[in-house]
Amino acid sequence: MALTTANTPSVRASQATGASAKRRRPRRGPQREGLAGYIFLSPWLIGLMGITAIPMLLSLYLSFTNYDVLSPLGEAEWVGLANYKRMFTSDPSYWRSVTVTVSFALIAVPLKLAAALGVALLLNKAWRGVGLFRGLFYLPSLIGGSVALAIVWVNMFNREGAFNGFLRIFGIEGKPWVNDPSWALETLMVLAIWQFGAPMVIFLAGLKQVPTELYEAASVDGAGRFRQFMSVTLPMLSPVIFFNLVLETINGFQGFTAAFVLSDGTGGPVDSTLMYTLNLYLKGWREYEMGYASAMAWVFLLAIGIITAVFFSTGRFWVHYSDGDDR
C-alpha cells in the first residue's frame, strides 16, 4: 500500500517539482556573486569614469576647440583641426620642446639604465653590508619626483653651489650650470641618471634568476668575465632590460618637475629646458589656451603609443626568454 501511494501521480509531480527547484536554486549563487563583485569594483569604476575616461573624452573634444579655461565650457569655439595645424606649422616653441624632450630621453635613459645595470652587478654579491648599500642606492628613487630634491639640485649646480666648490679644490673655475643654456639640460640629465635606484632593483631581481650553471659552463669553455657578461648575462637579462627600457623611456618623455623648478616654470634659460609636458602646462595654465594644450596632450599620447609599439615589435629580435618563447 505504501509503495502504491509513493507512485501516485500527485506524489511524482511534487517530487519532480522539488527536484526542479533544487536544480534552479544554485543559479542564484553566481548572480549574487557577480553583483557583489560589481559592488566591490564600483569605487574603481567610478574613479575610472570620473577621473580618467570622461576627462579624456572631454580633452579630445577640447582639442578641436578654442577654449581658454576661464570661460564656461559651453562657450568653447569649434575650430576643427586648427590647433593641430598650428602645432605642426606655426609654433616654434612646440618643436623646440619636442627637440629638448627627445634629446633628454635619448641621452638620459640609456645612461641611466647603464648605471643601474653596473651598480646591480656590483651589488649582486653576498658580502657584508650589501643590503645597506642597496638601500642607499635605491633611496634617490624614492624622493626623485619631489620639488624639494629639485631645489637642492638647483642650489648644488648654481655658481656658488657645492659642485663648483668641489671643482675649486682642483683649481677649476666653475660656471652657473643651471643658468647656462649650453648646460642647463645636462644638469637635468645628471639628476635623472642619478635616480637609477628603481631599475637597479629590477636588474638585481633579474640577476638572481640567472642560473649559476651557465657561468660555470662558460668558464669551463674558457670564457672570461667580459665574455660571460656578453654571452650569458645580457641574453638572460634581455626581458628585464626590455621592461626597464619601456618604463624609463616613458618616464623620460614625461619629465616635468625638475624642469619646472630649475627654470622657475619658464623652460629657460632660452628654452633650453622646455620639456614637452612643461610646454603643455604653460600653454594650458599660463597662456589659457586649453584647447591647444589638449591637442598637444593627444599628440603626446599618440607619440608615446607609437614608441611603445615600436619597442614591442622590435623586441622579438633581441629579447630572449628562458622558456624559449621569444615573443
Side-chain angles (χ1 to χ4, degrees):
M1 188 68 177
L3 181 61
T4 304
T5 304
N7 289 320
T8 58
S10 60
V11 172
R12 287 198 301 269
S14 62
Q15 289 176 345
T17 303
S20 177
K22 288 180 180 178
R23 286 195 299 269
R24 288 196 301 266
R25 227 173 264 160
R27 294 180 185 176
R28 298 179 182 177
Q31 295 176 356
R32 291 182 179 179
E33 290 178 0
L35 178 61
Y38 282 114
I39 292 175
F40 282 111
L41 283 174
S42 59
W44 180 84
L45 293 173
I46 294 172
L48 174 66
M49 296 301 296
I51 300 177
T52 303
I54 293 177
M56 284 184 66
L57 294 176
L58 180 60
S59 172
L60 180 61
Y61 164 73
L62 291 178
S63 70
F64 299 102
T65 67
N66 183 15
Y67 180 60
D68 62 2
V69 180
L70 301 178
S71 304
L73 189 60
E75 296 182 6
E77 177 188 1
W78 182 267
V79 295
L81 297 174
N83 288 326
Y84 296 92
K85 182 179 179 181
R86 171 191 168 190
M87 190 186 312
F88 294 119
T89 61
S90 60
D91 185 3
S93 67
Y94 174 80
W95 288 109
R96 176 58 182 168
S97 66
V98 170
T99 302
V100 170
T101 305
V102 172
S103 300
F104 178 87
L106 287 178
I107 297 174
V109 172
L111 292 178
K112 181 178 182 179
L113 293 181
L117 179 57
V119 175
L121 290 170
L122 292 175
L123 297 179
N124 189 33
K125 307 292 183 182
W127 41 270
R128 180 179 298 180
V130 67
L132 174 63
F133 284 101
R134 290 172 181 171
L136 291 176
F137 279 115
Y138 180 69
L139 184 61
S141 294
L142 295 177
I143 57 177
S146 67
V147 174
L149 180 60
I151 294 174
V152 171
W153 203 258
V154 170
N155 290 328
M156 283 182 60
F157 284 92
N158 61 25
R159 183 174 289 279
E160 302 300 328
F163 184 68
N164 283 340
F166 174 76
L167 293 179
R168 291 191 194 99
I169 299 175
F170 303 95
I172 302 174
E173 185 62 29
K175 59 178 66 180
W177 305 94
V178 295
N179 296 320
D180 188 340
S182 301
W183 290 97
L185 183 61
E186 282 71 11
T187 59
L188 291 181
M189 293 179 183
V190 174
L191 174 59
I193 295 168
W194 177 63
Q195 299 165 353
F196 60 79
M200 179 203 71
V201 171
I202 298 174
F203 278 134
L204 274 172
L207 288 171
K208 298 295 184 184
Q209 302 303 315
V210 179
T212 58
E213 294 82 1
L214 296 179
Y215 292 108
E216 294 172 356
S219 179
V220 170
D221 290 339
R225 291 293 182 88
F226 180 76
R227 186 62 182 173
Q228 291 179 25
F229 174 76
M230 297 299 297
S231 300
V232 178
T233 305
L234 285 184
M236 294 300 295
L237 278 183
S238 58
V240 179
I241 295 173
F242 176 76
F243 178 79
N244 275 332
L245 180 62
V246 172
L247 287 187
E248 294 302 327
T249 300
I250 295 174
N251 290 336
F253 278 99
Q254 292 179 334
F256 174 81
T257 303
F260 181 89
V261 173
L262 184 145
S263 65
D264 198 20
T266 63
V270 198
D271 291 342
S272 59
T273 60
L274 187 63
M275 301 288 286
Y276 193 101
T277 51
L278 177 57
N279 190 26
L280 191 156
Y281 166 81
L282 293 176
K283 295 297 184 185
W285 299 104
R286 290 279 180 88
E287 302 176 19
Y288 301 111
E289 296 182 283
M290 187 56 68
Y292 184 66
S294 298
M296 290 181 62
W298 277 95
V299 171
F300 185 64
L301 176 64
L302 180 62
I304 293 295
I306 292 174
I307 292 171
T308 305
V310 169
F311 279 146
F312 275 91
S313 62
T314 57
R316 58 193 176 92
F317 297 109
W318 60 275
V319 179
H320 309 286
Y321 295 89
S322 59
D323 59 359
D325 183 15
D326 297 348
R327 39 187 180 268

